[in-house]
Amino acid sequence: MTDNRIPPPFIGDERAMLNNWLDWHRETLAVKCAGLSEEQLRQRSVPPSSLSLLGLVRHMAHVERAWFRRVLNDEDVPLLYKTDDPDAEFNDVDTASAREALATWQAEIEIARKLSADVPLDAVAKRQRHGQDCSHRWILVHMIEEYARHNGHADLLRERIDGLTGE
């Protein structure tokens, strides 16, 4: 695996730390997917789980959109990959395009970065989540947690596919 990630600095202000850690984890998922074929990206973990790297990419595109565009900025954009199946982003990968999913994910990351750039950390998101207000800071911390948890899954999936592991 080619790993061009830039480690977060040991010293910095809060916003820089949050942004750098979030970008580190975003790039970690990209590293775990790098160099794999569509079939390898679709490869499932172990039954009964439907977890795959492609499913993780689709899920994180959905999460980026939901938190930054819909909650933080109150945009009226549809959720990605949602059907009657609440886990469609994970389950519906057999014919999904990896190239399209990766491009969608990267586009959502870029939009999220732009939306987040000038919002104070203490700002309250424009839309509630589960009936509660949340701060921009909470969203950033949650996104770091979401990526970190799923990157653990991605590491195991990648090791199962071709034996490669990494931080």
Side-chain angles (χ1 to χ4, degrees):
M1 281 184 288
T2 303
D3 186 350
N4 295 320
R5 294 175 298 166
I6 299 170
F10 289 110
I11 298 172
D13 66 32
E14 182 181 16
R15 183 179 207 96
M17 286 292 184
L18 292 169
N19 287 333
N20 282 301
W21 274 109
L22 181 52
D23 282 341
W24 168 267
H25 282 293
R26 286 167 169 158
E27 189 60 27
T28 297
L29 183 55
V31 166
K32 297 300 174 184
C33 295
L36 296 176
S37 69
E38 288 220 1
E39 276 309 308
Q40 288 173 312
L41 290 169
R42 286 189 190 103
Q43 189 172 329
R44 310 292 181 143
S45 58
V46 293
S49 176
S50 63
L51 197 61
S52 68
L53 287 169
L54 181 54
L56 287 174
V57 167
R58 288 164 46 104
H59 176 67
M60 293 314 300
H62 160 77
V63 170
E64 292 273 0
R65 176 178 281 203
W67 281 108
F68 288 100
R69 295 177 73 181
R70 291 175 57 96
V71 176
L72 183 65
N73 204 45
D74 196 26
E75 290 183 27
D76 188 23
V77 293
L79 294 171
L80 292 171
Y81 312 115
K82 286 300 171 187
T83 66
D84 290 337
D85 177 359
D87 294 321
E89 66 263 34
F90 293 111
N91 295 335
D92 297 342
V93 298
D94 292 339
T95 59
S97 165
R99 179 176 288 138
E100 181 180 305
L102 288 161
T104 298
W105 175 51
Q106 289 301 316
E108 291 298 330
I109 288 171
E110 287 309 311
I111 292 167
R113 282 183 182 129
K114 287 176 186 168
L115 291 175
S116 180
D118 295 324
V119 176
L121 295 176
D122 289 332
V124 174
K126 294 178 182 176
R127 186 183 293 185
Q128 290 186 323
R129 180 70 173 179
H130 302 301
Q132 294 190 10
D133 289 335
C134 61
S135 70
H136 181 213
R137 177 185 288 105
W138 189 95
I139 292 170
L140 292 171
V141 170
H142 172 68
M143 291 298 296
I144 293 165
E145 172 273 326
E146 183 87 5
Y147 272 102
R149 181 166 35 94
H150 288 310
N151 283 337
H153 300 137
D155 195 42
L156 294 171
L157 287 162
R158 181 66 190 245
E159 185 176 9
R160 185 172 190 273
I161 292 167
D162 65 4
L164 294 180
T165 62
E167 186 175 333

